[in-house]
Amino acid sequence: MKTAVSTSLSRRSVVAVLAAAAASTAILPAGDVLAQTKQTTPDKSLYDRLGGVFAIAAVVDHFSDAVVKNPIVGQKSKNPQLRKWHTKNLERLPGLKFMRTLWVCDVSGGPFKFVATKPGATPLGLEEAHRNLKISPAEFDEVAAELGRTLDHFKVPKAEKTEVLEAFAAHKDEVTAGYKKG
């Protein structure tokens, strides 16, 4: 990615790479994914480099399920809002996976457009969707670690994994906007 790329593109890259990279390895044999990554040309969008919507959806699916089961941010979280969401609102998980997939596709340069159900400060902002969950910086970091484990599960190459995690980290202030130290 060139240094002239805007911050929003960096965020797009992180999210897209996260979902797409993990997803692309889920659909293709490991050798094919590595070959695909080595043949990537700079003029391809991140969406295309990640393998498109099906690869992104596979990564989002795995990641979303892992977050629900995560002891720090999932069903056994000490954060009552996160614990409630991951135990009493699971009927909403398929829709959340769909929205996360759309978001990643959009920010990675794909043909699909994300429209927030609770718009934030930017068209792709995350603060309002997460405000009531009162996510702490440490909880955000654990979700990022879960994302890293998902990318490892799909054997995403180091460069793409790094790009995805950096893009994810770019949204930390938005996601933790509702957190207040007690």
Side-chain angles (χ1 to χ4, degrees):
M1 191 169 273
K2 296 180 182 177
T3 55
V5 173
S6 70
T7 304
S8 63
L9 260 185
S10 296
R11 291 177 183 173
R12 289 180 180 178
S13 299
V14 173
V15 173
V17 172
L18 151 67
S24 64
T25 53
I27 295 172
L28 300 172
D32 290 346
V33 173
L34 292 176
Q36 178 184 359
T37 301
K38 290 178 185 175
Q39 294 173 4
T40 299
T41 57
D43 53 340
K44 277 190 172 184
S45 70
L46 178 58
Y47 172 85
D48 289 331
R49 289 180 288 147
L50 291 174
V53 66
F54 296 107
I56 291 170
V59 170
V60 169
D61 182 62
H62 184 278
F63 167 72
S64 297
D65 290 344
V67 170
V68 168
K69 295 179 184 339
N70 183 289
I72 296 170
V73 296
Q75 294 174 322
K76 296 183 180 182
S77 176
K78 291 180 182 177
N79 176 328
Q81 290 80 10
L82 288 175
R83 187 174 57 248
K84 180 180 176 185
W85 202 102
H86 290 111
T87 56
K88 300 190 189 263
N89 293 325
L90 285 180
E91 72 279 356
R92 296 186 67 200
L93 189 57
L96 178 59
K97 290 177 180 182
F98 174 75
M99 295 301 286
R100 284 176 175 165
T101 299
L102 281 179
W103 191 84
V104 172
C105 287
D106 193 352
V107 300
S108 65
F112 304 101
K113 296 300 167 209
F114 171 82
V115 177
T117 56
K118 294 181 179 181
T122 67
L124 299 173
L126 302 174
E127 63 270 23
E128 294 311 318
H130 295 88
R131 187 174 306 280
N132 291 337
L133 296 174
K134 299 179 179 165
I135 298 169
S136 72
E139 290 164 338
F140 179 92
D141 292 344
E142 179 58 26
V143 173
E146 195 65 66
L147 176 57
R149 289 187 287 272
T150 295
L151 297 172
D152 289 342
H153 172 80
F154 287 102
K155 297 179 175 66
V156 174
K158 185 177 181 179
E160 285 77 11
K161 177 183 174 183
T162 299
E163 189 175 350
V164 169
L165 292 174
E166 287 173 354
F168 186 81
H171 293 279
K172 187 171 185 173
D173 289 343
E174 293 170 42
V175 173
T176 61
Y179 176 74
K180 292 184 172 95
K181 288 187 177 181

